[in-house]
């Protein structure tokens, strides 16, 4: 925990160092920030837009917005949280323009017990296999749900941090997260072997 806290602190200091350089006229220093966050921005954009070409364009737009608004970053939250937020809003704007409808059907009455059972199965399998299963299922979810679950499962963001990124209350994020997990679980159910699910649910009784 101490090492993680030290890393986060050092990352914060390095981010602020490059931000100060850019604001003081050394615009080339912005490349260091782009290099640090480009993979994160692109990955989140793909999750929301489900289109690699569009994600590349959105990533470029995101960094243009970040550069132009860099003087508005006050350091009240982590720079990475601010980058998440700009990425999220840029993707939302793109989705609104497209008015993209998602026709994927979900099991609306999927119970919390079934959701936990499926997550229990994921915890019991190989990490690489688990991440691959979740990644594939995220492609079938609406953009906002995929974005939310990416922050939760892969970026280890707390509910508090996610609330800042999505400009929402923690209580509302918990509700959104619960619903998104149910949708994810309903898709996972179709992919996992029925025998595996039956065995796990039997073991929990």
């Amino acid at each position: 925990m101490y090492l993680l806290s030290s890393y986060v602190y050092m990352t914060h200091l390095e981010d602020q160092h490059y931000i100060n350089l850019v604001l003081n006229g050394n615009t080339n220093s912005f490349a260091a920030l782009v290099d640090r966050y480009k993979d994160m921005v692109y990955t989140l954009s793909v999750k929301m837009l489900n289109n690699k070409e569009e994600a590349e364009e959105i990533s470029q737009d995101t960094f243009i917005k970040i550069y132009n608004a860099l003087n508005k970053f006050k350091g009240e939250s982590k720079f990475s949280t601010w980058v998440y937020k700009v990425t999220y809003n840029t993707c939302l704007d793109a989705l609104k323009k497209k008015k993209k409808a998602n026709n994927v059907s979900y099991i609306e009455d999927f119970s919390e017990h079934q959701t936990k059972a499926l997550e229990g199965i994921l915890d019991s399998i190989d990490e690489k296999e688990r991440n691959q299963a979740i990644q594939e299922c995220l492609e079938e979810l609406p953009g906002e749900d995929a974005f939310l679950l990416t922050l939760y499962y892969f970026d280890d963001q707390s509910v508090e941090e996610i609330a800042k990124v999505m400009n929402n209350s923690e209580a509302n994020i918990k509700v959104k997260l619960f619903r998104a997990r149910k949708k994810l679980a309903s898709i996972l159910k179709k992919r996992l072997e029925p025998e595996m699910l039956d065995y796990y649910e039997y073991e929990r009784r």
Side-chain angles (χ1 to χ4, degrees), residues 15 18 24-25 39 41 49 72 76-77 93 122 128 147 154 156 167 170 174 183 186 190 201 203:
D15 286 344
Y18 289 118
N24 287 325
D39 290 342
V41 169
L49 301 170
K72 295 179 182 178
E76 295 172 356
S77 62
D93 289 341
L122 290 175
K128 185 176 180 180
F147 186 92
F154 294 104
D156 295 322
N167 197 28
E170 290 183 37
K174 287 179 181 178
K183 291 178 184 178
S186 72
K190 300 172 187 175
E201 289 190 317
E203 288 293 304

Side-chain angles (χ1 to χ4, degrees), residues 29-202:
S29 295
F30 188 69
L33 295 173
V34 173
D35 190 57
R36 173 169 288 179
Y37 292 106
K38 62 183 180 182
D39 290 342
M40 181 188 85
V41 169
Y42 174 73
T43 299
L44 292 173
S45 299
V46 169
K47 289 289 180 284
M48 281 198 77
L49 301 170
N50 202 21
N51 183 298
K52 292 182 179 179
E53 288 76 19
E54 290 178 11
E56 289 178 1
E57 293 180 15
I58 291 300
S59 295
Q60 292 177 7
D61 290 345
T62 296
F63 281 112
I64 290 172
K65 289 182 179 180
I66 290 171
Y67 178 82
N68 290 332
L70 203 57
N71 62 334
K72 295 179 182 178
F73 176 68
K74 304 302 181 185
E76 295 172 356
S77 62
K78 291 185 294 186
F79 184 66
S80 59
T81 300
W82 192 62
V83 173
Y84 279 129
K85 190 167 187 174
V86 176
T87 306
Y88 174 68
N89 288 331
T90 305
C91 288
L92 273 187
D93 289 341
L95 287 172
K96 287 175 183 176
K97 288 178 182 178
K98 289 177 62 177
K99 294 182 179 178
K100 189 176 180 180
N102 194 303
N103 297 319
V104 178
S105 59
Y106 310 104
I107 304 172
E108 295 298 333
D109 60 347
F110 214 69
S111 70
E112 177 66 3
H113 172 73
Q114 288 174 300
T115 302
K116 287 182 177 179
L118 283 161
E119 290 185 338
I121 293 173
L122 290 175
D123 288 339
S124 68
I125 62 179
D126 177 72
E127 181 180 1
K128 185 176 180 180
E129 186 180 348
R130 178 178 71 245
N131 289 345
Q132 182 64 31
I134 294 176
Q135 287 279 17
E136 290 174 358
C137 292
L138 288 179
E139 294 176 6
E140 298 185 36
L141 287 171
E144 186 175 73
D145 290 328
F147 186 92
L148 175 63
L149 291 174
T150 297
L151 296 186
Y152 183 72
Y153 281 113
F154 294 104
D155 294 345
D156 295 322
Q157 294 291 301
S158 66
V159 170
E160 180 184 1
E161 290 292 332
I162 295 173
K164 291 177 183 176
V165 170
M166 302 181 77
N167 197 28
N168 224 313
S169 69
E170 290 183 37
N172 208 352
I173 289 299
K174 287 179 181 178
V175 172
K176 286 177 177 287
L177 188 57
F178 173 73
R179 290 174 178 167
R181 283 173 56 237
K182 285 179 69 175
K183 291 178 184 178
L184 177 67
S186 72
I187 297 172
L188 277 170
K189 184 178 174 67
K190 300 172 187 175
R191 292 172 177 265
L192 294 172
E193 290 293 332
E195 295 81 6
M196 184 186 292
L197 180 60
D198 291 342
Y199 173 77
Y200 188 84
E201 289 190 317
Y202 176 79

